[in-house]
Amino acid sequence: MSVMGIFSFTKYFKRSPLKKFSFFGITFDYAVNSILIIVMIFGLNFVGVSQPLSLNEANLKGKVKSVKVQHQKVFNENDSIWGEVPPDNDPFWFDGCIDTYSVFDKDGNLIEYHTYFTNGADDNETKNVYDEDGRLAYQNFYSDKIKTGTLKYSYDEIDRIIAIERFDENDIIQDRVVHIRNHYQKIPLGDGHNNVYVYKYNSKGECIEERSLLPDGEINYRNMYFYDDNSRQNRIVSFDKKNTMLATVGYKYDKKGRISSATKITSLKKSVVSFKYDYENNVVLTISEEINMEELRDSNKKINKSVERTSSYYEYDDNGNWIFRLFKVEKEPKFIQVREIKYYH
């Protein structure tokens, strides 16, 4: 499992009743774009990370009813740039761009979320059901209209998730995550091949350690989490089953609480990503740097640093939501995103 695969269940337990965006155990108001870029650049794998569940989490303004995001192929001729939807027989024109369609209720909760290739193929859908207190109760998952499974959520008296149950397409329970005393633990059901996850918390309720145990009790990996004075997670350290450090991931924040940089260090390389935002809190510039750790350790070796800059140009509607995005790597246009946003009246 990769360093960031450790977050299989963290986001479920850190989601607050205020419905801020919880990701990798960190709760953000604005940093959705930067987190997604961290994932793309660092090549992180993770399980159980879902789409933002509210307009606030998605950084959407006004009474939004639905958002359709479509990628377009960029054409650049004679200093003119425009976009076109690629043909149906070319779904992988840019690393298999995934389009999305989101539907929100009048309270701003996400009730439907679709992902599909630009040509409309491979439609995957999530339908969310909320309880009378506005908390996420069920998530039903579909692939090309066929149900594939369900997640059921239970809460304690202060709106913390204390149980998650996963059901298959026939509504047969597969596994359950429950709260036991001072830690969370995944209880395997059926054949018992599921791992067990144990979490430890400090006096502030912040997750400070996660352990993955094999069914026989042997440790699989361990992660430690650290926080700044504002309870923002600023460092993660990951260890393998032999307690050898695999990697560290660190975050820095700006004055508005947005991630300004992220650094990942392994035995092989050091990767740094920094971010700049526009007035609507969208990431408009990322600078990623990568250095070979062997060169850093050897003073006689010349340090070769690879640097890549990506930038985005946005256009906005009258509500301050972006409806057009041109994405560039260095100065070369790579793709265009068009957002069709509908509002409640």
Side-chain angles (χ1 to χ4, degrees), residues 126-140:
T126 301
K127 291 186 177 181
N128 299 325
V129 180
Y130 299 84
D131 63 20
E132 58 185 12
D133 295 316
R135 302 173 302 191
L136 182 63
Y138 295 92
Q139 287 187 298
N140 296 307

Side-chain angles (χ1 to χ4, degrees), residues 250-266:
Y251 303 101
K252 291 183 179 179
Y253 301 83
D254 64 17
K255 293 180 179 179
K256 291 186 177 181
R258 306 171 301 194
I259 291 181
S260 58
S261 68
T263 303
K264 179 183 177 182
I265 300 175
T266 69

Side-chain angles (χ1 to χ4, degrees), residues 110-175:
L110 180 69
I111 55 177
E112 289 186 26
Y113 183 76
H114 298 255
T115 61
Y116 45 87
F117 288 118
T118 301
N119 66 351
D122 195 22
D123 181 10
N124 292 290
E125 179 184 5
T126 301
K127 291 186 177 181
N128 299 325
V129 180
Y130 299 84
D131 63 20
E132 58 185 12
D133 295 316
R135 302 173 302 191
L136 182 63
Y138 295 92
Q139 287 187 298
N140 296 307
F141 303 95
Y142 302 83
S143 178
D144 290 328
K145 308 300 181 182
I146 299 175
K147 187 175 180 179
T148 59
T150 299
L151 288 178
K152 178 183 178 182
Y153 300 86
S154 299
Y155 300 82
D156 64 11
E157 66 278 2
I158 57 174
D159 289 338
R160 294 181 304 183
I161 293 177
I162 57 173
I164 305 170
E165 296 173 312
R166 182 172 65 89
F167 300 83
D168 65 12
E169 66 276 12
N170 298 313
D171 293 329
I172 299 175
I173 191 167
Q174 299 299 300
D175 52 48

Side-chain angles (χ1 to χ4, degrees), residues 49-270:
V49 177
S50 71
Q51 65 282 353
L53 290 178
S54 70
L55 296 177
N56 181 52
E57 293 176 4
N59 194 24
L60 288 167
K61 305 166 185 68
K63 297 180 179 180
V64 174
K65 182 178 182 179
S66 65
V67 179
K68 183 177 181 179
V69 182
Q70 184 181 65
H71 288 77
Q72 295 184 355
K73 194 170 185 175
V74 175
F75 294 87
N76 186 2
E77 295 180 4
N78 300 322
D79 295 327
S80 295
I81 296 176
W82 72 94
E84 293 182 6
V85 177
D88 289 349
N89 60 357
D90 187 18
F92 297 101
W93 60 273
F94 186 76
D95 294 334
C97 280
I98 302 297
D99 292 343
T100 62
Y101 177 67
S102 306
V103 180
F104 298 86
D105 63 20
K106 291 186 177 181
D107 294 322
N109 296 314
L110 180 69
I111 55 177
E112 289 186 26
Y113 183 76
H114 298 255
T115 61
Y116 45 87
F117 288 118
T118 301
N119 66 351
D122 195 22
D123 181 10
N124 292 290
E125 179 184 5
T126 301
K127 291 186 177 181
N128 299 325
V129 180
Y130 299 84
D131 63 20
E132 58 185 12
D133 295 316
R135 302 173 302 191
L136 182 63
Y138 295 92
Q139 287 187 298
N140 296 307
F141 303 95
Y142 302 83
S143 178
D144 290 328
K145 308 300 181 182
I146 299 175
K147 187 175 180 179
T148 59
T150 299
L151 288 178
K152 178 183 178 182
Y153 300 86
S154 299
Y155 300 82
D156 64 11
E157 66 278 2
I158 57 174
D159 289 338
R160 294 181 304 183
I161 293 177
I162 57 173
I164 305 170
E165 296 173 312
R166 182 172 65 89
F167 300 83
D168 65 12
E169 66 276 12
N170 298 313
D171 293 329
I172 299 175
I173 191 167
Q174 299 299 300
D175 52 48
R176 179 186 294 123
V177 182
V178 297
H179 177 251
I180 301 178
R181 297 178 183 175
N182 195 37
H183 63 260
Y184 288 97
Q185 183 174 348
K186 183 177 181 182
I187 307 299
L189 301 176
D191 57 16
H193 291 304
N194 295 311
N195 290 351
V196 173
Y197 298 87
V198 178
Y199 297 84
K200 291 184 179 179
Y201 293 80
N202 61 19
S203 59
K204 296 181 179 179
E206 300 162 342
C207 181
I208 58 175
E209 185 179 11
E210 176 186 21
R211 293 181 179 231
S212 170
L213 306 179
L214 299 174
D216 60 5
E218 181 181 354
I219 190 168
N220 187 25
Y221 64 81
R222 179 171 66 93
N223 302 286
M224 298 182 66
Y225 307 105
F226 301 86
Y227 302 82
D228 63 18
D229 293 337
N230 294 311
S231 295
R232 299 176 301 201
Q233 194 175 87
N234 59 11
R235 188 160 64 100
I236 305 163
V237 184
S238 179
F239 303 86
D240 65 13
K241 60 183 179 182
K242 295 182 180 179
N243 208 35
T244 301
M245 189 175 72
L246 295 173
T248 65
V249 178
Y251 303 101
K252 291 183 179 179
Y253 301 83
D254 64 17
K255 293 180 179 179
K256 291 186 177 181
R258 306 171 301 194
I259 291 181
S260 58
S261 68
T263 303
K264 179 183 177 182
I265 300 175
T266 69
S267 60
L268 299 177
K269 63 183 179 181
K270 176 181 179 180

Side-chain angles (χ1 to χ4, degrees), residues 1-10 24 44-48 197 199 210 221 223 225 238:
M1 180 175 286
S2 69
V3 175
M4 304 307 273
I6 58 180
F7 300 98
S8 304
F9 298 98
T10 306
F24 296 165
L44 309 177
N45 290 323
F46 48 87
V47 179
Y197 298 87
Y199 297 84
E210 176 186 21
Y221 64 81
N223 302 286
Y225 307 105
S238 179

